[in-house]
Amino acid sequence: MIRARRNKSYRLAKLYDRRACDLPFNAEVAEIEVDDPLALEPGEKIVAMRSIRSDPLGRLYSHHQIDEAQYRGGRAFQNDWERAERGPQAVDPTREYVDGVRMREAVTESQRQAVLRLNRVERELGTDGAALVHDVLVLGLTMDQIGQRRAVRSQRWNDYFARRFRECLDRLALVYGFATETGTPRAERRR
């Protein structure tokens, strides 16, 4: 019996291609660079796909409608909101049952600091700006949905909300220290 020969142009790189080829029908994804978890050298990056379907901030950043400082300021706000939030909590079955009364858990220092930063953000943005940022970054609403909640349904109002939201992201970048008053990101000023 004669053996078939292997093709000489066989490439091993194709074996280790970890990118997803099959996406769901209604997927909205963007390419991002992340640290390679399997890297041999520190600082190596790989390209990964991230879902931007329910992430308005990620969608704006992936379409180059906001810059890096605005994106990082928005993510810092979301991080503080998640840290400070003390929403519904699960019942701990290991604790002793006493007439359905739960002991209040102590507020951690990181939660306290997050609340202080959120209070400063609300003072900086004002009531309307803070509500707009909350609607987009916490609730994930689009500009059209924000207009519907406020009973104004025109393209002009949508454009106003989008422009105002970008102004609020500029202010968030300043508050969290990702930009300076001159508008240049701090990373660029150090060079």
Side-chain angles (χ1 to χ4, degrees):
M1 178 175 227
I2 299 174
R3 290 181 134 188
R5 292 188 172 218
R6 291 188 179 182
N7 189 355
K8 297 281 185 186
S9 63
Y10 184 75
R11 294 180 59 182
L12 289 177
K14 291 202 180 244
L15 287 177
Y16 300 106
D17 189 4
R18 297 178 296 217
R19 291 179 287 181
C21 296
D22 298 329
L23 293 174
F25 174 69
N26 55 356
E28 294 179 31
V29 295
E31 290 183 355
I32 58 167
E33 280 191 2
V34 295
D35 293 329
D36 188 0
L38 304 175
L40 299 175
E41 298 291 325
E44 288 184 22
K45 303 278 186 185
I46 60 172
V47 176
M49 303 300 273
R50 184 185 72 196
S51 175
I52 58 172
R53 184 173 181 192
S54 60
D55 182 16
L57 192 63
R59 180 179 290 116
L60 290 172
Y61 184 66
S62 68
H63 292 298
H64 304 290
Q65 295 175 349
I66 59 173
D67 61 5
E68 177 78 19
Q70 292 171 325
Y71 176 75
R72 292 177 69 189
R75 286 290 186 231
F77 176 84
Q78 288 175 329
N79 187 28
D80 278 348
W81 184 266
E82 289 173 3
R83 187 173 291 140
E85 185 180 38
R86 297 188 54 106
Q89 298 175 355
V91 176
D92 188 3
T94 60
R95 289 191 177 179
E96 185 177 336
Y97 177 78
V98 182
D99 295 333
V101 178
R102 290 181 27 190
M103 285 182 30
R104 252 185 106 171
E105 295 180 13
V107 175
T108 64
E109 182 63 24
S110 66
Q111 287 174 328
R112 192 179 76 75
Q113 292 296 325
V115 168
L116 291 175
R117 282 190 298 269
L118 288 173
N119 288 339
R120 180 173 177 225
V121 164
E122 188 169 358
R123 281 192 309 273
E124 291 282 333
L125 297 179
T127 306
D128 189 47
L132 180 63
V133 166
H134 179 270
D135 286 347
V136 175
L137 296 182
V138 176
L139 300 178
L141 300 178
T142 64
M143 299 305 154
D144 191 37
Q145 292 169 333
I146 291 170
Q148 289 176 0
R149 287 183 87 188
R150 297 179 183 191
V152 287
R153 295 184 176 123
S154 68
Q155 185 61 41
R156 189 171 186 162
W157 277 105
N158 290 349
D159 293 342
Y160 167 75
F161 290 136
R163 189 172 50 252
R164 179 73 175 112
F165 178 66
R166 281 193 291 276
E167 291 171 2
C168 292
L169 286 177
D170 285 335
R171 182 56 68 183
L172 286 176
L174 287 172
V175 168
Y176 285 107
F178 296 116
T180 59
E181 285 290 335
T182 59
T184 58
R186 285 190 177 183
E188 292 179 9
R189 286 190 97 202
R190 291 182 192 153
R191 292 181 189 171

